Amino acid sequence: MADETIGIVGAGIVGLATGREIALRRPGTRVVVFEKEQQVSLHQTGHNSGVVHAGIYYTPGSLKANLTVRGVALLREYCQDRDLPYKEIGKLVMAVRQDELGRMENLYERARNNHVPDLRKVSKDEIKELEPHAGGLAALHSPRTAITDYPAVAREFAKDVAESGGEVKLGFPVTGITTVPGGIEVASGQDRVKVDRLILCAGLQSDAVAKLARDRQEPRIIPFRGEYMLLKPDRTHLVRGLIYPVPDPRYPFLGVHFTPRVDGSVEVGPNAVLALAREGYKLGTVSPRDLLGLAAYPGSWRMAAQHWRTGIKEYRGALSTAAFMKDAGHYVPGVGAKDVVRGGAGVRAQALDRDGTLVDDFRIHQMGRITAVRNAPSPAATASMAIAEHIAGAVFGDA
């Protein structure tokens, strides 16, 4: 299959990692990455919290579990080789109520099955040794959980693609995908590019791009905006490492947590608010087209019927800093609205099935010459290099 041209839609971290992997695996293959924006990693990758997840949360045997554990090792080595930030600052997953202790124990067994390195249970006193300003009854400590700069990693992947003889075509919004003799034609307005195979890694637009390729209609992408607060500079000393709650197993979100960044700042968040635009990074941003698609999909209404109470709580936090910080204060007592300023926001591409189920695992499938990534939420950045291996193996039949 040498001398083929492989097209990839989407220059986020997964698309770029896949392009890099294909170029390494198949020398002589030309990679063309199509990106609608004028720069790479502008959306989910560019709004990522920077956490390198160790694999604590994911169902053993799932793609998420397997690819995250593999992805951590690949990412750590890549960052070291390229002199990119990679700091193992550790994570506490803390129980602050008695009813969370059983869930924490279940999480510990899950993490052990996923071979999370050096994970241990810690007591209330041991929490204080690790995080003097934290509160909690007990916790799981993952010392190997790290932080990095994912946009910088993505830019490095883009360089690798270009240096291999490939191309990242910026300002190329894909408007048509057509099967033609011997390949696939990718259109952007009047521009046409023929490729031998095509991989769809379109993130927030993954279902819309899949529709162009005549893929199945489900799952649909439902955008959730995650908003962050920032600890004021004179309060960042209160947090040494990552501090997370025990997550609610009903949701694929991990809850509001404290996240030190590689630049020295500390984020608090994110919440999970249903966005009214796929690229709605501000509360008031509304896309009539996206809103209509949301309203027309039966899964949206079934999801709302199941989770409306949680939705109201999340919106309350979006409108009130005090409400946002109320839960966070259980993990670092004394930290409240007076200690933070509003930070940035990201939008998560959450896949939703027709029955209202929030899709948790990665979903990747093939349609002849086309490979579609239909769901790759967090920890996709952590797992990006392993996802790339998985996709390349499927495309070339050597998984």
Side-chain angles (χ1 to χ4, degrees), residues 159-231:
K159 288 181 187 177
D160 293 340
V161 171
E163 290 172 1
S164 74
E167 180 183 5
V168 180
K169 292 180 72 70
L170 300 174
F172 195 98
V174 173
T175 57
I177 297 172
T178 307
T179 300
V180 296
I184 299 156
E185 189 175 76
V186 182
S188 180
Q190 298 302 311
D191 293 336
R192 301 285 189 275
V193 178
K194 184 180 176 182
V195 299
D196 294 284
R197 298 172 184 273
L198 185 65
I199 301 166
L200 311 181
C201 299
L204 286 161
Q205 308 296 337
S206 61
D207 57 346
V209 172
K211 185 177 180 181
L212 295 177
R214 296 172 178 80
D215 191 11
R216 64 190 70 163
Q217 293 188 23
E218 283 82 34
R220 296 282 185 88
I221 293 300
I222 304 299
F224 280 88
R225 186 177 60 259
E227 301 163 327
Y228 290 90
M229 300 292 174
L230 285 171
L231 284 184

Side-chain angles (χ1 to χ4, degrees), residues 47-381:
H47 294 83
N48 193 290
S49 65
V51 177
V52 182
H53 293 279
I56 294 173
Y57 306 102
Y58 318 121
T59 303
S62 66
L63 270 182
K64 264 192 179 184
N66 294 340
L67 297 183
T68 298
V69 172
R70 169 70 176 158
V72 171
L74 294 171
L75 183 63
R76 183 192 305 114
E77 182 178 1
Y78 186 83
C79 288
Q80 291 170 348
D81 288 346
R82 303 303 177 95
D83 199 26
L84 294 166
Y86 191 95
K87 301 179 181 179
E88 291 185 344
I89 62 172
K91 174 197 282 189
L92 283 175
V93 181
M94 275 199 316
V96 296
R97 299 190 307 269
Q98 286 289 336
D99 63 359
E100 293 177 334
L101 293 174
R103 299 208 317 257
M104 191 189 81
E105 187 66 32
N106 292 338
L107 201 61
Y108 176 70
E109 293 303 321
R110 175 172 286 198
R112 287 185 62 193
N113 287 330
N114 290 338
H115 306 291
V116 173
D118 302 325
L119 184 77
R120 66 189 182 99
K121 291 184 276 190
V122 296
S123 67
K124 185 175 183 177
D125 290 340
E126 289 172 306
I127 289 173
K128 288 294 185 182
E129 295 174 8
L130 295 163
E131 291 284 356
H133 300 283
L137 301 176
L140 304 181
H141 181 225
S142 171
R144 303 290 293 278
T145 298
I147 55 174
T148 189
D149 182 342
Y150 284 119
V153 174
R155 291 191 294 270
E156 199 70 17
F157 288 164
K159 288 181 187 177
D160 293 340
V161 171
E163 290 172 1
S164 74
E167 180 183 5
V168 180
K169 292 180 72 70
L170 300 174
F172 195 98
V174 173
T175 57
I177 297 172
T178 307
T179 300
V180 296
I184 299 156
E185 189 175 76
V186 182
S188 180
Q190 298 302 311
D191 293 336
R192 301 285 189 275
V193 178
K194 184 180 176 182
V195 299
D196 294 284
R197 298 172 184 273
L198 185 65
I199 301 166
L200 311 181
C201 299
L204 286 161
Q205 308 296 337
S206 61
D207 57 346
V209 172
K211 185 177 180 181
L212 295 177
R214 296 172 178 80
D215 191 11
R216 64 190 70 163
Q217 293 188 23
E218 283 82 34
R220 296 282 185 88
I221 293 300
I222 304 299
F224 280 88
R225 186 177 60 259
E227 301 163 327
Y228 290 90
M229 300 292 174
L230 285 171
L231 284 184
K232 292 178 179 178
D234 64 346
R235 304 297 277 170
T236 57
H237 70 281
L238 298 176
V239 177
R240 291 179 176 177
L242 298 150
I243 301 175
Y244 277 61
V246 176
D248 187 331
R250 296 175 299 167
Y251 301 104
F253 313 114
L254 298 180
V256 170
H257 45 269
F258 290 81
T259 307
R261 302 296 301 264
V262 293
D263 64 4
S265 63
V266 177
E267 289 181 333
V268 187
N271 57 0
V273 177
L274 185 65
L276 304 181
R278 294 193 184 214
E279 297 170 11
Y281 299 107
K282 295 181 179 180
L283 185 61
T285 303
V286 178
S287 164
R289 180 177 179 179
D290 291 345
L291 188 57
L292 181 62
L294 186 69
Y297 185 50
S300 301
W301 297 100
R302 290 166 181 152
M303 176 190 69
Q306 295 174 54
H307 305 300
W308 63 271
R309 289 182 180 84
T310 300
I312 290 173
K313 178 183 176 184
E314 295 292 318
Y315 268 106
R316 189 178 296 126
L319 297 171
S320 165
T321 302
F324 188 104
M325 292 300 297
K326 182 178 179 181
D327 285 343
H330 295 307
Y331 300 90
V332 183
V335 171
K338 66 184 186 304
D339 302 301
V340 297
V341 295
R342 286 201 172 262
V347 180
R348 174 189 174 114
Q350 176 60 53
L352 183 70
D353 278 331
R354 180 171 284 266
D355 65 0
T357 300
L358 297 164
V359 180
D360 185 46
D361 203 4
F362 300 148
R363 283 198 186 174
I364 303 167
H365 68 267
Q366 287 186 267
M367 306 169 289
R369 292 174 177 263
I370 298 175
T371 304
V373 179
R374 295 297 300 267
N375 190 48
S378 178

